[in-house]
DNA sequence: GTCTATAAGGAGATAGAC
DNA sequence: GTCTATCTCCTTATAGAC
């Protein structure tokens, strides 16, 4: 039995096309953003007509919601797959690294730093909100564990670290470095991780021993 | 002689209205972003009609360009005014604090993390590019000085720190904290500065002595 | 289910009266 | 210079043929 289970060939084709639509949506979202993305863009990228697109997704909001849900599911899958022997800080670093690499390859962060308008739209999407809360719960626990273990600064509210962590996944510095510096993608990732975890300041020399 | 110099009363009124238009533009940009901002929004906020708006600014791009130029000039003015006895790190901290406070009061960062579309539009605006380069040159010098003085991590390319510094001025974590945490604006600012300069990691204990 | 053709409405920009 | 009214284009969404 294949990955589609007991679906008929027709349903399999339908699912495949749906997946292709979501791929195209993610790509267009990444390059133009929500407001400038048109349904014509998506239909054109997939190679179908606009009415066919509307047979799969009932509106632009619905389409974008599904694409973003898939991104969050990807983050949840990645998180579940990380070496369980890593500590919370190590896991957060691995997930951030993954998110940065996805972006450098033209993808989207799992939690786009979208405008108030888009945020509002997504908050009305119950399915999306549910997934976001699931991911958020896991990340919140990791942050708090890292603080308790002394890996993260425990004098700061965990909110501050958690929201800043989200922000680092969509840090615009990534695009600027990719565009204006001569660095490889690997170097960009390493530097972004460094800045996120250690900040701008020079490292204080560690205690001897 | 007043701040308008030798202008006639009519010209003074014209300049005042222009300033009011730019204020409204900045406010609308801050709340809706470029793509969703309409010329009707701006005209309505100022209390004039759309054709009058077009007498002052020949296009939406022009209007937004002028508003952003004024923001950059504000940053340059603030920078010139900072206590000159502060070191480069202190100056950068002061400017970032100022930018964060402006945003918390509903304003815009001086370098908005805009979409590729908006960035492209601004890069075609020679006047804007000139101002950005002026500010960028000053910030670049400050970053490099801070690195030479051992205030910032000298093992990182200055590009990385500079672009990350820009990113912190428009960090979306600010809005999330303002919205979902119980903190005062002062607390938000202090925490954001802390995270930017020190990162997530727990502070390493300093060498004794 | 897929397409061609089109409705409905929004938004940038302007004509022309005052 | 300011306004009312309008043009034009673009975008979401759908009707209706095959």
């Amino acid at each position: 039995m294949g990955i589609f289970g007991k679906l008929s060939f027709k349903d399999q084709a339908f699912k495949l096309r749906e997946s292709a639509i979501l791929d195209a949506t993610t790509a267009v979202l990444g390059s133009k953003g929500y407001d400038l993305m048109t349904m014509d863009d998506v239909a054109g990228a997939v190679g179908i007509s606009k009415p066919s697109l509307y047979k799969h997704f009932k509106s632009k909001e619905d389409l974008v919601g599904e694409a973003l849900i898939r991104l969050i599911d990807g983050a949840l899958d990645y998180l579940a797959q990380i070496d369980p022997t890593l500590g919370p800080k190590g896991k957060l670093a691995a997930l951030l690294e993954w998110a940065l690499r996805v972006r450098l390859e033209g993808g989207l962060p799992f939690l786009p730093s979208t405008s108030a308008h888009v945020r509002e739209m997504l908050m009305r999407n119950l399915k999306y909100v549910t997934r976001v809360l699931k991911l958020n719960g896991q990340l919140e626990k990791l942050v708090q564990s890292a603080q308790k273990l002394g890996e993260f600064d425990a004098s700061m509210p965990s909110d501050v670290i958690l929201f800043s962590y989200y922000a680092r996944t969509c840090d615009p510095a990534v695009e600027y470095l990719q565009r204006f510096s001569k660095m490889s993608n690997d170097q960009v990732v390493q530097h972004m991780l460094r800045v996120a975890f250690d900040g701008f300041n020079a490292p204080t020399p560690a205690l001897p021993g």
Side-chain angles (χ1 to χ4, degrees), chain A residues 98-120:
Chain A
W98 174 78
L100 293 174
R101 287 192 192 282
V102 168
R103 280 188 56 207
L104 282 165
E105 282 152 23
L108 271 180
F110 49 81
L111 252 194
S113 153
T114 47
S115 63
H117 168 237
V118 178
R119 255 204 320 271
E120 206 177 312

Side-chain angles (χ1 to χ4, degrees), chain A residues 1-9 11-12:
Chain A
M1 196 162 80
I3 60 170
F4 296 115
K6 278 187 165 189
L7 297 177
S8 70
F9 286 115
D11 286 343
Q12 288 185 30

Side-chain angles (χ1 to χ4, degrees), chain A residues 15 22 42 50 89 105 108 132 145 149 166 190:
Chain A
K15 281 283 176 196
L22 291 177
V42 177
K50 202 160 40 170
K89 175 179 161 181
E105 282 152 23
L108 271 180
V132 165
S145 299
L149 291 174
Y166 284 129
Q190 293 312 314

Side-chain angles (χ1 to χ4, degrees), chain A residues 39-181:
Chain A
M39 298 301 266
D40 284 298
D41 287 336
V42 177
V46 183
I48 62 175
S49 71
K50 202 160 40 170
S52 299
L53 182 52
Y54 276 94
K55 292 288 179 191
H56 288 267
F57 301 95
K58 71 173 192 299
S59 70
K60 182 181 178 180
E61 294 199 358
D62 180 46
L63 172 60
V64 170
E66 292 296 328
L68 295 184
I69 284 167
R70 217 181 45 156
L71 286 179
I72 297 202
D73 283 342
L76 285 165
D77 289 348
Y78 184 85
L79 201 52
Q81 214 184 16
I82 293 179
D83 178 1
T85 65
L86 282 177
K89 175 179 161 181
K91 287 181 183 166
L92 287 169
L95 182 66
L96 178 52
E97 177 170 347
W98 174 78
L100 293 174
R101 287 192 192 282
V102 168
R103 280 188 56 207
L104 282 165
E105 282 152 23
L108 271 180
F110 49 81
L111 252 194
S113 153
T114 47
S115 63
H117 168 237
V118 178
R119 255 204 320 271
E120 206 177 312
M121 170 192 93
L122 291 171
M123 289 306 121
R124 288 193 304 266
N125 185 329
L126 186 61
K127 193 173 167 191
Y128 177 84
V129 170
T130 306
R131 303 297 172 100
V132 165
L133 288 179
K134 184 175 173 187
L135 178 61
N136 190 65
Q138 296 189 17
L139 295 181
E140 192 174 22
K141 271 186 195 147
L142 286 174
V143 167
Q144 289 169 353
S145 299
Q147 287 182 299
K148 279 187 193 118
L149 291 174
E151 295 176 333
F152 279 177
D153 189 341
S155 72
M156 266 192 291
S158 58
D159 278 6
V160 173
I161 296 180
L162 182 57
F163 290 141
S164 295
Y165 180 82
Y166 284 129
R168 295 308 171 266
T169 68
C170 55
D171 193 315
V174 169
E175 290 151 43
Y176 282 100
L177 284 176
Q178 191 177 27
R179 188 150 173 173
F180 297 116
S181 85

